[in-house]
Amino acid sequence: MASNDRAFDARYSQARSALRGELVAVLVLGVLLLVVLVVLQWYLARRFHRILNPGVLGATVCTLLAVLLGAQVISASAGHLRVARHDAFDSVVALSRARAIAYDANADESRYLLDPERRGRYERAFLEKSQQLYGLRGATLTSYDAELATTWQAYRADRRDLRFTGEFRRELDNITFAGEQSAAEETVEAYAVYERDDRRIRALLAAGKEREAVEFCMGWEAGTSNAHFGAWMTALDKVTDINRQHFTTSVRDGRSAVTEQLPGGCALLLAAMALTCLGLRPRFAEFR
């Protein structure tokens, strides 16, 4: 995912630079063409003692509309590109990382039960992945749940509160679309339930209730750890889908802005050429 993100970011930077260059070119060439038409109108009025040439005037209006339309199309494309890259895809990256980390953490939890000789290693790995998802500085497995609850309550009171980090924070700092805020918050709350389940598993094991710990960890009945993990993944997929749908929509709208409006701009420029020729034709006839 990281390599795809870097590749996409490089393409995005190239596309953004290209759009900036195209916008400058449209504006500069458009202004030059308008200046030429205005000077031509002035010359015809002075040379032939007429106030306005209707053909050249129509060409000027068409050119102005073509320039405005071209600038609008490029600006709209840049806007759709920004939404696709930053508003949508940045969230998809964070949430996809979260999903991969979640499955690794869940596997570490199972290994903790099944491999007694390496329990310390898997416990540390689980905590490390928890910190990648919802980072709490200095937290241990013993203090993690309480600190998560405290910092989450603070965030719900003030969304500018910065006492936690991680992939969930990346998503929560990039809320853009309708329904995304509530879906992201539901994901974190489902994650908190799963984290509390982990502590219950470890407590059962410490109390010598290994069979109960295994059943609670690996069963899929309602109220078990795996059931809560599934609910967490469902919530995570929901907020990911919101961003993916908007990414797809932004890409489609960006392409539509070009394919649907560009022919209109070309038609206006062709009309400007035709009107200029029609406007000059009577004047050329006077030289015969």
Side-chain angles (χ1 to χ4, degrees):
M1 193 67 191
S3 60
N4 289 339
D5 186 38
R6 287 192 297 270
F8 188 30
D9 193 53
R11 292 291 300 274
Y12 168 73
S13 298
Q14 293 172 1
R16 186 178 57 180
S17 298
L19 286 171
R20 280 201 298 262
E22 291 170 4
L23 180 60
V24 170
V26 166
L27 293 176
V28 170
L29 292 175
V31 169
L32 288 175
L33 185 54
L34 288 170
V35 168
V36 169
L37 290 170
V38 170
V39 170
L40 178 60
Q41 187 73 263
W42 171 81
Y43 171 78
L44 293 174
R46 183 176 179 181
R47 176 68 177 79
F48 296 97
H49 306 291
R50 289 174 171 82
I51 298 176
L52 290 175
N53 184 292
V56 177
L57 178 61
T60 303
V61 172
C62 287
T63 301
L64 178 61
L65 291 175
V67 172
L68 293 176
L69 181 60
Q72 179 186 356
V73 169
I74 294 172
S75 297
S77 296
H80 292 307
L81 183 64
R82 179 190 57 77
V83 170
R85 175 62 183 101
H86 291 299
D87 295 345
F89 195 73
D90 281 356
S91 289
V92 171
V93 170
L95 294 165
S96 297
R97 286 174 179 163
R99 199 174 200 281
I101 293 168
Y103 274 96
D104 280 348
N106 196 44
D108 287 331
E109 184 181 69
S110 299
R111 295 186 188 105
Y112 174 83
L113 281 173
L114 301 175
D115 190 353
E117 294 181 359
R118 296 181 177 85
R119 277 179 180 162
R121 170 184 171 184
Y122 294 129
E123 185 174 275
R124 290 190 297 272
F126 184 90
L127 177 60
E128 179 183 348
K129 292 177 177 68
S130 298
Q131 293 281 23
Q132 291 174 24
L133 292 168
Y134 191 106
L136 296 166
R137 181 175 294 181
T140 64
L141 284 179
T142 302
S143 64
Y144 189 91
D145 291 342
E147 291 187 38
L148 189 158
T150 300
T151 55
W152 185 243
Q153 184 177 6
Y155 171 81
R156 294 298 299 269
D158 179 6
R159 288 173 178 154
R160 295 170 296 178
D161 190 283
L162 300 175
R163 279 182 279 178
F164 66 92
T165 59
E167 301 301 339
F168 289 139
R169 183 83 227 189
R170 295 176 193 272
E171 162 56 14
L172 290 165
D173 285 343
N174 196 42
I175 299 296
T176 311
F177 309 115
E180 186 179 4
Q181 182 75 53
S182 61
E185 290 177 358
E186 288 172 9
T187 300
V188 176
E189 288 164 2
Y191 165 74
V193 173
Y194 173 77
E195 283 287 336
R196 291 194 295 270
D197 286 349
D198 174 77
R199 256 50 98 211
R200 179 180 173 183
I201 292 167
R202 297 178 198 277
L204 287 170
L205 196 62
K209 301 177 180 180
E210 184 172 348
R211 181 182 180 85
E212 292 181 32
V214 171
E215 289 176 350
F216 182 71
C217 177
M218 299 185 179
W220 283 96
E221 296 80 6
T224 61
S225 178
N226 271 345
H228 291 154
F229 181 81
W232 173 27
M233 290 300 98
T234 298
L236 184 66
D237 290 343
K238 178 181 177 181
V239 67
T240 303
D241 287 342
I242 290 173
N243 284 279
R244 281 178 176 157
Q245 288 169 8
H246 281 279
F247 174 83
T248 302
T249 300
S250 295
V251 172
R252 185 183 65 241
D253 291 347
R255 289 173 177 168
S256 297
V258 175
T259 57
E260 293 177 5
Q261 298 184 49
L262 187 60
C266 294
L268 285 169
L269 290 175
L270 290 174
M273 293 174 58
L275 288 169
T276 301
C277 293
L278 290 173
L280 292 177
R281 184 177 179 183
R283 304 290 78 82
F284 290 146
E286 295 182 17
F287 288 99
R288 296 177 183 175

